[in-house]
């Protein structure tokens, strides 16, 4: 594995998002002097925050999986996550509600999920689920250490025994087809393929290797931090400070000083000049290329994932049995991907994610109130032609009406819209094509074909975050930070080759 040359005693990490925080922790744990520069007054990056009238709103990701990867970040500086952060199990992980009125709770426990599927769709589908679960577990075990958690210097570095095993179990076939081999009920197929939206590709087009996201959601289990998702970056930053990391909040990086092929200092809008031996850039890809003064050399242009509209809504306390995460599937599910990915238009038959964080932590809303996060997939700005300034209000009303009709009767009567974020708003935050999901995980943007975390022609700059390896998501962002640290220090024996003892090799149970 290639690493940067020369000294690496002083490292500046640009951005205190999850990737930057993980990089800082791993570097500090390996004896580096680390300074983190962050434009906002707090850590988190995409895992942002907003406080409105007693509501504590998470403006970024709301679904957290793979807590052992979070544990790895704290362990890098000898800390225990449980001393810093309480993760609450979310059960069910999701409630899936379909257009025909049927619904099923998704459990990570094999026995409970088997029983739920048997009641929902019959014994044959339950047996197929057990086979699918076993396949997802095998996929994860082969894929994690050999691909997700590994640095690649070139496509040739993928030619390993793991690649042959991954191909043998169907990892390079289509995700939807592999799920259909095990279960035939179209509603259940959606439960194990909707995650392709996170990868920015329709299930029928996505590689089966990305079904590992379904493993993370439906088998590893979903968790939620007490205090909201913001509690995660807060805890990581606190651990980093205690490990000697310096944070400079409210400072935006405006330039990199270079001598020859090396960055030797970072300049900020506060007239600061921070000397360094290496730099980790976790900025959005357009800003990264601007700072580096170069563009990627690619035969095919980079393709950005679809975007989303998110409405944050306060309301009267809803029925206590309302799940933490509910997916409202529209009837024309396949059409959804055609609308937003191919045609760049609003969904004609909406499918929505409704998150109720107050189901796990009621303190995130005023007494007697609930907090909702309603997400509608949407075209990004490169593909779509939607005038978001014109449709923002009406589309928000449509989303609330849809949730009122299908999930929470009476919501419309008491809904208070706290904030709305559209693709245009994501773009104003610097996100490419107005998408919070970064680059799509097409074949040409997978593994060593994704923008690399080392920069050609610059000897000591390393990238981390959603637009480089391994990709989009909270677990992968944390891994990305560790991979960046490895590029600076070389692999650390305690940070690689993780033992996946939480998987039962027969049933895939934790």
């Amino acid at each position: 594995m290639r690493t940067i040359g020369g000294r690496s005693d002083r490292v500046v990490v640009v951005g205190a998002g999850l990737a930057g925080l993980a990089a800082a922790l791993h570097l500090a744990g390996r004896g580096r002097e680390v300074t983190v520069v962050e434009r906002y007054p707090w850590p988190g990056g995409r895992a942002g925050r907003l406080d409105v009238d007693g509501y504590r709103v998470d403006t970024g990701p709301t679904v957290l999986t793979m807590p052992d990867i979070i544990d790895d970040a704290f362990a890098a500086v000898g800390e225990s996550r449980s001393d810093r952060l309480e993760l609450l199990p979310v059960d069910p992980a999701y409630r899936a509600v379909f257009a025909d009125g049927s619904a099923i709770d998704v459990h990570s426990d094999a026995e409970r999920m088997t029983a739920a599927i048997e009641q929902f769709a019959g014994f044959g589908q339950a047996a197929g689920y057990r086979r699918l679960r076993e396949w997802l577990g095998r996929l994860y075990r082969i894929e994690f250490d050999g691909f997700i958690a590994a640095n690649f210097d070139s496509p040739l570095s993928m030619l390993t025994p793991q690649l042959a095993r991954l191909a043998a179990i169907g990892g390079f076939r289509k995700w939807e087809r592999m799920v259909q081999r095990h279960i035939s009920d179209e509603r259940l197929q959606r439960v194990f393929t909707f995650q392709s939206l996170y990868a920015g590709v329709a299930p029928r087009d996505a590689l089966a290797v990305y079904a590992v996201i379904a493993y993370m959601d439906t088998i590893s289990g979903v968790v939620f931090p007490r205090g909201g998702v913001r509690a995660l970056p807060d805890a990581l930053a606190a651990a980093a400070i205690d490990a000697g990391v310096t944070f400079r909040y409210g400072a935006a990086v405006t330039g990199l000083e270079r001598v020859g092929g090396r960055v030797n200092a970072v300049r900020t809008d506060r007239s600061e000049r921070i000397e360094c031996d290496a730099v980790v850039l976790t900025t959005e890809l357009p800003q990264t290329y601007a700072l580096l003064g170069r563009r990627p050399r690619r035969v095919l242009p980079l393709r950005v994932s679809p975007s989303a509209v998110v409405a944050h809504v306060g309301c009267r306390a809803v029925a206590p049995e309302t799940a933490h995460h509910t997916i409202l599937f529209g009837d024309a599910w396949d059409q959804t991907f055609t609308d937003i990915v191919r045609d760049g238009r609003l969904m004609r038959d909406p499918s929505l994610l409704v998150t109720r964080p107050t189901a796990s932590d009621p303190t995130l809303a005023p007494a007697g109130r609930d907090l909702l996060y309603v997400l509608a997939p949407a075209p990004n700005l490169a593909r779509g032609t939607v005038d978001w300034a014109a449709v923002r209000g009406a589309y928000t009303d449509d989303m609330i009406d849809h949730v009122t009709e299908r999930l929470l009767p009476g919501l419309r009567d008491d809904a208070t819209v706290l904030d709305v974020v559209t693709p245009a708003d994501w773009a104003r935050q610097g996100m490419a094509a107005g998408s919070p999901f970064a680059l799509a995980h097409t074949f040409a943007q997978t593994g060593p074909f994704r923008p690399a975390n080392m920069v050609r022609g610059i000897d000591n700059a390393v990238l981390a975050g959603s637009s480089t390896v391994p990709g989009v998501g909270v677990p992968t962002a944390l891994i990305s930070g560790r991979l960046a640290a490895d590029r600076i220090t070389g692999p650390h024996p305690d940070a690689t080759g993780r033992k996946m003892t939480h998987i039962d090799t027969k049933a895939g149970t934790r």
Side-chain angles (χ1 to χ4, degrees):
M1 184 193 78
R2 286 195 301 128
T3 59
I4 68 168
R7 294 184 57 182
S8 63
D9 298 331
R10 300 167 302 169
V11 184
V12 172
V13 177
V14 181
L18 297 178
L21 292 169
L25 286 164
H26 284 283
L27 288 165
R30 302 175 198 182
R32 269 51 178 186
E33 178 185 321
V34 182
T35 300
V36 179
V37 183
E38 169 56 50
R39 60 177 171 165
Y40 291 118
W42 50 72
R46 274 182 167 85
R49 62 191 68 187
L50 179 69
D51 294 333
V52 183
D53 298 333
Y55 294 92
R56 291 191 290 162
V57 178
D58 290 320
T59 60
T62 62
V63 180
L64 297 186
T65 63
M66 307 301 293
D68 51 337
I69 295 174
I70 297 173
D71 293 345
D72 289 346
F74 286 103
V77 292
E79 293 239 11
S80 170
R81 183 262 305 163
S82 60
D83 293 335
R84 296 276 185 181
L85 179 72
E86 182 181 3
L87 293 180
L88 307 169
V90 175
D91 186 31
Y94 298 96
R95 177 166 296 145
V97 179
F98 302 95
D100 64 2
S102 61
I104 185 170
D105 286 349
V106 178
H107 304 284
S108 59
D109 178 77
E111 298 305 324
R112 293 181 67 195
M113 191 61 190
T114 301
I117 290 178
E118 184 169 351
Q119 182 177 9
F120 179 77
F123 175 80
Q125 298 301 304
Y129 159 73
R130 295 300 288 250
R131 294 191 299 271
L132 174 62
R133 186 183 178 100
E134 183 179 351
W135 177 77
L136 288 170
R138 291 203 312 273
L139 182 72
Y140 177 77
R141 290 190 294 276
I142 293 170
E143 197 174 334
F144 189 88
D145 286 331
F147 298 95
I148 297 174
N151 276 310
F152 294 102
D153 292 332
S154 75
L156 292 177
S157 60
M158 284 186 66
L159 299 179
T160 65
Q162 287 108 313
L163 182 68
R165 289 196 290 271
L166 192 59
I169 68 167
F172 297 104
R173 298 173 187 169
K174 298 302 184 186
W175 182 342
E176 186 175 74
R177 286 299 188 106
M178 292 304 296
V179 171
Q180 289 171 344
R181 285 187 169 197
H182 302 286
I183 51 179
S184 58
D185 187 292
E186 291 185 0
R187 298 166 301 173
L188 291 176
Q189 289 171 8
R190 295 180 187 183
V191 170
F192 296 100
T193 60
F194 82 88
Q195 299 88 351
S196 71
L197 273 172
Y198 303 151
V201 184
R204 60 180 176 267
D205 299 322
L207 292 176
V209 292
Y210 289 111
V212 72
I213 309 173
Y215 168 87
M216 294 177 181
D217 278 4
T218 66
I219 297 177
S220 174
V222 176
V223 295
F224 186 75
R226 189 177 297 281
V229 174
R230 69 175 70 182
L232 172 57
D234 285 349
L236 292 170
I241 290 171
D242 286 352
V245 175
T246 299
F247 283 81
R248 301 194 182 184
Y249 291 114
V253 171
T254 56
L256 306 176
E257 289 186 11
R258 297 211 304 261
V259 175
R262 294 184 68 85
V263 176
N264 68 336
V266 171
R267 288 182 279 107
T268 77
D269 61 356
R270 288 164 43 175
S271 300
E272 295 173 295
R273 180 181 181 274
I274 308 169
E275 295 187 352
C276 61
D277 301 313
V279 61
V280 178
L281 300 172
T282 73
T283 41
E284 302 293 341
L285 207 57
Q287 289 91 329
T288 299
Y289 289 137
L291 286 171
L292 293 172
R294 59 189 57 217
R295 302 293 299 171
R297 296 192 300 176
R298 298 177 66 90
V299 175
L300 298 175
L302 292 170
R303 175 176 156 187
V304 178
S305 291
S307 187
V309 176
V310 178
H312 301 281
V313 178
C315 63
R316 282 192 302 266
V318 302
E321 63 271 17
T322 305
H324 188 121
H325 296 295
T326 301
I327 306 169
L328 300 176
F329 285 105
D331 187 43
W333 175 239
D334 288 340
Q335 184 65 41
T336 292
F337 293 92
T338 301
D339 286 342
I340 65 176
V341 177
R342 192 193 72 184
D343 298 339
R345 58 178 293 169
L346 297 174
M347 293 179 289
R348 283 172 280 183
D349 182 19
S351 292
L352 305 176
L353 169 65
V354 182
T355 292
R356 178 190 165 222
T358 38
S360 295
D361 187 348
T363 68
L364 300 177
R369 307 289 289 179
D370 259 312
L371 175 61
L372 304 177
Y373 166 112
V374 184
L375 181 149
N380 64 42
L381 299 183
R383 174 66 65 178
T385 57
V386 179
D387 182 347
W388 289 107
V391 307
R392 173 192 178 109
Y395 193 62
T396 302
D397 288 342
D398 288 346
M399 291 166 64
I400 294 172
D401 288 343
H402 200 73
V403 176
T404 301
E405 178 183 345
R406 296 197 54 198
L407 181 66
L408 299 172
L411 173 63
R412 164 54 66 194
D413 300 332
D414 187 61
T416 300
V417 177
L418 307 173
D419 190 46
V420 178
V421 188
T422 71
D425 299 310
W426 299 122
R428 281 189 281 273
Q429 296 178 38
M431 298 180 193
S435 173
F437 303 116
L439 299 182
H441 286 269
T442 61
F443 179 79
Q445 295 177 172
T446 292
F449 304 112
R450 201 166 179 81
N453 59 1
M454 293 195 78
V455 182
R456 191 184 303 273
I458 302 179
D459 297 337
N460 64 339
V462 183
L463 309 188
S466 298
S467 292
T468 185
V469 291
V472 179
V474 171
T476 41
L478 293 169
I479 292 168
S480 177
R482 195 266 295 164
L483 293 178
D486 288 351
R487 289 294 195 184
I488 293 172
T489 70
H492 194 274
D494 293 335
T496 57
R498 297 166 52 254
K499 295 180 180 179
M500 291 171 284
T501 54
H502 61 290
I503 303 173
D504 179 284
T505 57
K506 292 182 180 179
T509 55
R510 297 196 310 171

